[in-house]
């Protein structure tokens, strides 16, 4: 079992930046990252990273603006968000899975059994 705790959300103006953090504990996991869910919309993948090789995957909507990184010493994954837009407004969730990141299916929420409680990001 993996426990995930997100932090770093908040309110920011268009064009601003935020950094989200997710602290993890528990059994070994090999893929983790970030999803988001806006009101009335389905949860979608934002970015994930493999703990071993550091391979990353990003949603097209955030490429060039968001960067995922990890610090394995502290079991923490980060999401640096820049050039934020109102459409980035959502609850952001950290997720993890024990196998590798599933390649082209990385964004399938059903691939992730472990989820945090979420942190709200509001861009206005």
């Amino acid at each position: 079992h993996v426990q995930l705790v997100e932090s770093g959300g908040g309110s920011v103006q268009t064009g601003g930046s935020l950094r989200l953090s997710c602290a993890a504990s528990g059994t070994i996991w090999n893929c983790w990252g970030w999803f988001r869910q806006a009101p009335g919309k389905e949860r979608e993948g934002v970015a994930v990273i493999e703990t071993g090789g550091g391979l990353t995957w990003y949603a097209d909507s955030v490429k060039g603006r968001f960067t995922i990184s990890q610090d394995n010493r502290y079991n923490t994954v980060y999401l640096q968000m820049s050039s934020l837009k109102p459409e980035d407004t959502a609850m952001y969730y950290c997720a993890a899975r024990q196998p590798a990141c599933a390649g082209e299916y990385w964004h399938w929420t059903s691939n992730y059994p472990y989820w945090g409680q979420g942190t709200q990001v509001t861009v206005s």
Side-chain angles (χ1 to χ4, degrees):
H1 191 72
V2 181
Q3 293 82 40
L4 304 167
V5 179
E6 303 97 334
S7 62
S11 296
V12 64
Q13 292 186 334
T14 299
S17 299
L18 280 175
R19 188 175 81 156
L20 306 183
S21 301
C22 171
S25 61
T27 57
I28 295 172
W29 60 96
N30 290 294
C31 174
W32 55 345
W34 295 92
F35 289 70
R36 67 186 181 186
Q37 188 167 19
K41 294 188 176 181
E42 293 188 352
R43 194 170 297 188
E44 63 175 4
V46 176
V48 297
I49 184 168
E50 288 194 339
T51 57
L55 292 176
T56 58
W57 287 261
Y58 291 91
D60 288 344
S61 59
V62 306
K63 283 181 180 177
R65 301 188 298 122
F66 291 10
T67 302
I68 189 169
S69 61
Q70 61 187 352
D71 188 336
N72 291 334
R73 299 170 300 171
Y74 301 109
N75 290 342
T76 302
V77 64
Y78 303 98
L79 185 69
Q80 178 67 49
M81 305 185 294
S82 302
S83 302
L84 283 161
K85 306 174 182 179
E87 50 263 45
D88 295 317
T89 295
M91 185 70 79
Y92 282 71
Y93 296 92
C94 184
R97 60 183 254 131
Q98 288 173 324
C101 287
E104 64 183 293
Y105 305 110
W106 69 269
H107 59 286
W108 286 14
T109 57
S110 58
N111 283 335
Y112 298 83
Y114 307 114
W115 293 86
Q117 294 299 306
T119 185
Q120 177 68 37
V121 172
T122 302
V123 185
S124 60

